[in-house]
Amino acid sequence: MAASRSSRAARCCAFCVAWALIMGLTGPGQTWTTMTTVRKASGVPGPARPAMGQREAFPRYQTRQSSQTTLRASDKELDTEAIGKYFTAIVVQMIAITAFFSALDLAVQSYGLEVPDWAVFGLFFGMSIRSRLFSPLDNSRPDIQKATKGEATGGFNDRQMPSWTPPGIFFPIMWILIVAPLRAASSMMIWQQVGHICDATILVLMLHLCIGDTWNTVNNVERRLGAAVPGVLCVWASALLASYAYYQIEPFAGQLLLPTCLWLTVAAALVTDTWRVNNSSGTEPLFPYRSETRTRFWFAE
């Protein structure tokens, strides 16, 4: 009799261990099938299978699911470190550009060089498309070849895009063939009026470029779709400021920057709508928040 009780107790213990393993390692759809197999092997009777349509209770499974619930936008913590690095990057880039322009002015003055208009135009054209060389952040733009083919690249088609998004080929045409030449021409006009490159008016446009470069880090590299919305509004506002500053020196130069402001208005609407269509769950706030994404200076990697 004692041996029989010991054997039955051992089978009960084995069944309890198997039940715990099943609840921890299998989902609701698999539990009853596996449990029945173990029960038959152990010879210990178990509870009946629920009737069709009857809900099964799996407290541990439900607890695990609820612990993985995604935080809503209002519950996320502001990433102050990222914001500090964004401002630092703009300041560092502005200092570097100012030092570069000052060195050019000093070289021209020291050697008594006559700088042709085309050279100044080329300088500002290059600054318009490569100002990010002075930034301590990774300001990568979308890959032009991939964008023109409609393929996914940083900042374009790597997220759900609004239905009215222009074709990929439209973006390089605007930035390289229209916006950059207009910036270069207007800056050359200011240079003709003031006689030097490192001028406060020209530096206003450089500030616009620095803000735009930092925005590329936010939108294209870090893919902070919510924070990109106020960011692109800062880019738009700085373009208006540059146009106004240029207009004070040479009205036509300021007017040449207006198409850039118009294009940035369209870009701001696109960025905002992109955030909207990717934020149906309400989990992407309009500010940089703490997550696995980290803002890093390229020299600190």
Side-chain angles (χ1 to χ4, degrees):
M1 180 66 69
S4 176
R5 289 180 179 176
S6 299
S7 176
R8 182 173 299 177
R11 287 199 299 269
C12 288
C13 291
F15 177 79
C16 291
V17 173
W19 170 265
L21 290 174
I22 291 168
M23 293 300 293
L25 300 177
T26 64
Q30 298 176 345
T31 302
W32 279 103
T33 302
T34 311
M35 182 185 68
T36 302
T37 303
V38 174
R39 189 173 65 245
K40 289 180 179 179
S42 62
V44 178
R49 184 186 182 97
M52 184 64 67
Q54 183 179 350
R55 186 174 181 180
E56 301 175 25
F58 297 95
R60 183 178 299 183
Y61 179 79
Q62 292 173 352
T63 301
R64 184 167 63 250
Q65 286 291 88
S66 61
S67 66
Q68 296 176 353
T69 302
T70 304
L71 291 176
R72 293 188 63 81
S74 58
D75 299 325
K76 294 187 176 180
E77 182 181 359
L78 179 68
D79 192 342
T80 54
E81 179 184 356
I83 293 177
K85 288 184 177 180
Y86 296 152
F87 280 103
T88 299
I90 293 173
V91 171
V92 169
Q93 189 174 4
M94 278 297 298
I95 293 174
I97 292 175
T98 302
F100 175 61
F101 283 179
S102 297
L104 290 179
D105 284 337
L106 181 61
V108 169
Q109 194 174 33
S110 299
Y111 293 99
L113 301 176
E114 290 289 336
V115 182
D117 290 347
W118 62 264
V120 177
F121 179 93
L123 170 66
F124 288 114
F125 182 87
M127 288 298 300
S128 182
I129 61 177
R130 284 292 183 271
S131 58
R132 63 181 180 272
L133 294 176
F134 295 90
S135 175
L137 293 174
D138 179 5
N139 306 139
S140 300
R141 268 61 168 178
D143 186 283
I144 294 179
Q145 293 183 349
K146 290 184 177 180
T148 53
K149 294 178 182 178
E151 299 177 359
T153 179
F156 186 80
N157 278 344
D158 61 340
R159 62 206 68 181
Q160 186 178 351
M161 303 296 291
S163 58
W164 60 275
T165 303
I169 187 102
F170 189 76
F171 293 90
I173 291 176
M174 282 299 303
W175 287 114
I176 299 176
L177 301 182
I178 297 179
V179 173
L182 290 178
R183 287 172 174 170
S186 60
S187 298
M188 182 187 68
M189 292 179 183
I190 299 300
W191 170 78
Q192 290 172 339
Q193 293 293 325
V194 300
H196 50 273
I197 298 173
C198 190
D199 182 78
T201 303
I202 294 176
L203 290 178
V204 174
L205 180 63
M206 296 303 107
L207 174 62
H208 161 66
L209 296 180
C210 293
I211 295 174
D213 289 334
T214 301
W215 177 84
N216 274 283
T217 299
V218 176
N219 185 68
N220 301 341
V221 178
E222 299 178 355
R223 298 185 75 251
R224 299 182 188 262
L225 305 187
V229 175
V232 76
L233 294 179
C234 291
V235 178
W236 174 77
S238 64
L240 288 176
L241 179 62
S243 178
Y244 175 78
Y246 274 39
Y247 187 85
Q248 302 306 304
I249 303 299
E250 174 58 53
F252 186 56
Q255 293 169 358
L256 284 180
L257 291 179
L258 289 179
T260 299
C261 299
L262 179 61
W263 166 240
L264 287 173
T265 302
V266 177
L270 180 62
V271 170
T272 303
D273 204 22
T274 300
W275 166 73
R276 180 189 63 82
V277 299
N278 287 273
N279 192 41
S280 58
S281 60
T283 58
E284 184 69 20
L286 291 171
F287 57 83
Y289 58 89
R290 293 190 180 277
S291 64
E292 295 180 355
T293 301
R294 290 289 181 269
T295 302
R296 296 183 177 88
F297 296 131
W298 57 262
F299 54 81
E301 295 182 353

